[in-house]
């Protein structure tokens, strides 16, 4: 078993395993951190938000407190995923605290659907750095520890929040700077899965079929109306848990939708994930055809 036993009372599906989650101070990242903590995992939460923001709920500290309350042993780390030295230091701190890494969740993301003509190249570079380069970097940094995890039979997984490769031009061309970054990391998932398969490390991507009630949806992708047609982040957290408890040797190289992960595992009641109960139409997420 890795590291600390502060919350040894929790016996769950991830007891004694260590997960690293980026963008963990809110939204899907926070939901996954809480879900994994509730299953007994040691959870390292990486985020930039230290001070409260008027439009963004929560900081890394409030998020860590929520995950800890769920039952996990939590290590909050303030760091920018674009910073190579900071990420290397973060991985070292996780290993020092918990003894290893079994799960990496690349969740941190940056969204800007501005068209090619209007978008500034600084924004373009920012999205490539956060959405594509950072998951590649962290997968690389975690690899030696995930190899150790595999040799010990601990079923190591990498999960990245990125979409299936839908080549419909209406999707690809809807904010192409953003699309390139997200499709790029989906391609990396397929490639890393192939490269890491001999070690017994799974690499998959997860994407919501519907919009999820997050700060991005509230502030950028439709506001209150979009939230009413969204699901909660719990659906992604439950899907992520099913993914990282699947056999790494065979469950790899997939670009998965949350709903499909759940239904494949026999979960058919998806109404509980709706923000607004009822049978109104849900809004599809970006890159998902009706």
């Amino acid at each position: 078993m890795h590291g600390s036993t502060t919350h040894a009372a929790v016996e769950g599906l991830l007891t004694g395993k260590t997960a690293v989650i980026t963008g963990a101070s809110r939204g899907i990242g926070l939901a996954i951190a809480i879900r994994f903590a509730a299953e007994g995992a040691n959870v390292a939460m990486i985020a930039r938000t230290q001070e409260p923001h008027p439009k963004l709920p929560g900081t890394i500290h409030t998020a860590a407190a929520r995950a800890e309350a769920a039952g996990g042993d939590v290590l909050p780390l303030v760091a920018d995923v674009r910073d190579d030295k900071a990420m290397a230091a973060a991985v070292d701190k996780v290993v020092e605290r918990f003894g290893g890494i079994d799960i990496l969740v690349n969740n941190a993301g940056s969204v800007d659907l501005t068209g090619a003509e209007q978008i500034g190249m600084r924004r373009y570079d920012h999205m490539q750095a956060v959405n594509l380069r950072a998951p590649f970097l962290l997968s690389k940094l975690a690899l030696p520890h995930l190899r150790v995890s595999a040799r010990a039979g601990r079923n190591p997984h990498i999960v990245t929040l990125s979409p299936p490769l839908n080549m419909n031009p209406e999707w690809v061309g809807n904010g192409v700077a953003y699309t390139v970054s997200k499709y790029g990391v989906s391609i990396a998932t397929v490639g890393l899965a192939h490269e890491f398969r001999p070690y017994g490390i799974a690499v998959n991507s997860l994407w919501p079929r519907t919009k999820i009630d997050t700060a991005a949806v509230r502030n950028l992708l439709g506001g209150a109306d979009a939230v009413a047609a969204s699901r909660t982040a719990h659906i992604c957290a439950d899907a992520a848990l099913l993914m990282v408890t699947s056999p790494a040797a065979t469950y790899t190289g997939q670009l998965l939708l949350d709903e499909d992960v759940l239904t494949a595992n026999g979960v058919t009641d998806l109404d509980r994930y709706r923000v607004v109960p009822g049978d109104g139409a849900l809004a599809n997420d970006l890159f998902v055809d009706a």
Side-chain angles (χ1 to χ4, degrees):
M1 175 162 167
H2 287 188
S4 172
T5 54
T6 310
H7 296 274
V10 177
E11 281 298 327
L13 294 170
L14 300 178
T15 297
K17 292 195 175 180
T18 296
V20 177
I21 303 169
T22 66
S25 59
R26 64 183 68 89
I28 292 169
L30 173 57
I32 292 173
I34 291 170
R35 190 76 186 86
F36 286 10
E39 291 294 340
N42 304 317
V43 182
M45 301 170 69
I46 299 176
R48 280 193 311 163
T49 311
Q50 289 192 78
E51 304 296 329
H53 185 285
K55 281 192 170 180
L56 302 173
T59 66
I60 185 62
H61 307 297
T62 59
R66 288 180 63 187
E68 205 148 46
D73 195 356
V74 177
L75 176 64
L77 294 166
V78 178
D80 188 328
V81 294
R82 296 172 297 168
D83 183 332
D84 292 22
K85 283 184 179 166
M87 287 304 100
V91 166
D92 288 347
K93 282 177 190 162
V94 174
V95 174
E96 187 184 325
R97 169 79 174 267
F98 297 125
I101 295 171
D102 304 294
I103 299 163
L104 168 63
V105 180
N106 290 305
N107 166 73
S110 174
V111 186
D112 189 330
L113 299 179
T114 303
E117 187 179 359
Q118 291 81 25
I119 197 164
M121 291 312 289
R122 280 184 67 178
R123 282 297 299 150
Y124 178 93
D125 290 342
H126 177 87
M127 279 195 288
Q128 308 309 314
V130 174
N131 296 344
L132 174 53
R133 189 180 185 279
F136 185 88
L137 169 66
L138 270 162
S139 300
K140 200 173 151 63
L141 290 170
L143 177 60
H145 308 292
L146 295 169
R147 271 201 197 122
V148 171
S149 175
R151 287 197 295 269
R154 299 172 62 80
N155 201 42
H157 279 261
I158 296 173
V159 177
T160 297
L161 272 288
S162 72
L165 295 168
N166 181 348
M167 300 314 287
N168 177 344
E170 286 184 22
W171 280 125
V172 181
N174 177 35
V176 68
Y178 178 67
T179 306
V180 167
S181 68
K182 295 307 278 192
Y183 280 26
V185 80
S186 292
I187 292 168
T189 287
V190 176
L192 292 173
H194 178 77
E195 186 177 334
F196 295 177
R197 186 189 285 269
Y199 308 129
I201 299 164
V203 189
N204 295 292
S205 280
L206 171 65
W207 193 249
R209 187 187 76 72
T210 68
K211 284 199 166 77
I212 299 293
D213 180 12
T214 60
V217 169
R218 286 174 182 265
N219 298 334
L220 299 169
L221 303 175
D225 289 346
V227 169
S230 295
R231 287 176 173 151
T232 67
H234 298 305
I235 189 168
C236 297
D238 286 353
L241 179 64
L242 287 166
M243 290 169 72
V244 303
T245 51
S246 296
T250 52
Y251 193 86
T252 188
Q254 302 179 86
L255 307 174
L256 300 159
L257 293 176
D258 55 359
E259 195 173 285
D260 295 342
V261 174
L262 291 165
T263 54
N265 282 275
V267 180
T268 51
D269 172 21
L270 303 180
D271 287 346
R272 59 189 162 141
Y273 297 115
R274 285 173 168 267
V275 174
V276 178
D279 55 5
L282 289 163
N284 278 9
D285 200 3
L286 300 168
F287 313 117
V288 180
D289 288 332

